[in-house]
Amino acid sequence: AQTVTQSQPEMSVQEAETVTLSCTYDTSESNYYLFWYKQPPSRQMILVIRQEAYKQQNATENRFSVNFQKAAKSFSLKISDSQLGDTAMYFCAFIPGGTSYGKLTFGQGTILTVHP
Amino acid sequence: DTEVTQTPKHLVMGMTNKKSLKCEQHMGHRAMYWYKQKAKKPPELMFVYSYEKLSINESVPSRFSPECPNSSLLNLHLHALQPEDSALYLCASSQDVEGYTFGSGTRLTVV
């Protein structure tokens, strides 16, 4: 069984600053995918960034980047130049590879507030 | 079309009512999912359909009945719900495990 742990229930940051959200996971799988999802008050779960476990290079999407440490089973999200629209609940999620569908395992989430 | 559309957005129902939630996608995704989410908690998987067949049922009570009439449509039929079933119900679809697309959910209140 897989577990995903987000140890920061809430975080806050000033607009334009950088913030890092932590995530650790536990699995015996060798092939898997990791995700960060954002859920603003509008409720829709939005994919922020995806990392494939077999890729050494850390994924980057504009202001969002990850620090993927496979040996340490760590997958943190860095948000640069924070914007008010980044205020949301952020979920780290895991899914094993090798199948065409599967169960996303979510962490407990981190509520991020960006202050003006 | 890269969206998953859920209707209705809000639903209030009595414990003796029968209602249905609807989810639609036109991305050609072959897997569709129902998740239940309580406030400030992560989504919990309820059901997975793959190629229109029920593949995963996470021991969900029978008062929730999923249906997949075709590859684009997923329904969740509700009957004799309890107040503790009040939650946000999210639908998602995927073509493979590399990425899921979620709808914006139905906020259900059972009175």
Side-chain angles (χ1 to χ4, degrees):
Chain A
Q2 287 76 227
T3 59
V4 178
T5 303
Q6 293 178 247
S7 58
Q8 305 151 315
E10 295 189 40
M11 292 193 73
S12 64
V13 64
Q14 293 296 124
E15 202 174 4
E17 292 187 346
T18 296
V19 64
T20 299
L21 308 184
S22 301
C23 173
T24 58
Y25 61 95
D26 192 22
T27 183
S28 57
E29 303 278 347
S30 57
N31 179 22
Y32 53 87
Y33 297 83
L34 294 161
F35 308 88
W36 278 99
Y37 280 93
K38 167 187 176 181
Q39 189 175 37
S42 65
R43 309 177 325 200
Q44 184 157 12
M45 195 79 74
I46 301 164
L47 178 65
V48 175
I49 202 164
R50 175 181 64 221
Q51 177 76 42
E52 297 159 70
Y54 62 86
K55 287 192 176 179
Q56 301 267 352
Q57 189 170 2
N58 289 326
T60 299
E61 288 286 342
N62 300 314
R63 299 182 294 108
F64 299 89
S65 61
V66 298
N67 183 3
F68 175 47
Q69 301 289 328
K70 191 172 183 179
K73 294 182 180 172
S74 170
F75 183 62
S76 61
L77 175 69
K78 185 172 84 171
I79 305 174
S80 304
D81 186 26
S82 297
Q83 300 176 359
L84 297 177
D86 295 333
T87 293
M89 191 155 190
Y90 287 80
F91 291 100
C92 179
F94 169 101
I95 194 165
T99 61
S100 60
Y101 64 90
K103 175 181 178 179
L104 272 172
T105 299
F106 288 93
Q108 289 301 305
T110 298
I111 299 172
L112 175 67
T113 304
V114 180
H115 297 285
Chain B
D1 186 353
T2 57
E3 286 187 345
V4 173
T5 303
Q6 288 188 245
T7 54
K9 293 197 182 306
H10 300 274
L11 178 63
V12 179
M13 62 184 290
M15 289 188 283
T16 59
N17 290 161
K18 286 185 181 180
K19 297 286 185 184
S20 297
L21 310 185
K22 180 180 172 181
C23 173
E24 200 163 2
Q25 58 90 11
H26 296 286
M27 295 175 282
H29 288 177
R30 306 310 296 195
M32 296 185 76
Y33 310 77
W34 281 115
Y35 282 84
K36 173 183 177 180
Q37 187 180 24
K38 292 282 198 177
K40 297 188 179 180
K41 295 292 185 183
E44 299 173 352
L45 182 66
M46 299 175 73
F47 302 103
V48 180
Y49 273 83
S50 176
Y51 291 89
E52 302 164 46
K53 287 186 168 47
L54 183 63
S55 301
I56 298 176
N57 177 344
E58 291 284 289
S59 302
V60 178
S62 60
R63 58 185 184 268
F64 295 91
S65 175
E67 178 196 20
C68 188
N70 59 57
S71 60
S72 300
L73 189 56
L74 185 65
N75 297 321
L76 186 63
H77 303 298
L78 314 172
H79 173 54
L81 295 193
Q82 303 298 309
E84 59 266 28
D85 297 321
S86 298
L88 180 67
Y89 288 83
L90 291 166
C91 176
S93 70
S94 70
Q95 180 59 21
D96 52 46
V97 296
E98 294 182 14
Y100 287 60
T101 302
F102 283 86
S104 56
T106 294
R107 176 79 64 195
L108 174 67
T109 303
V110 182
V111 297

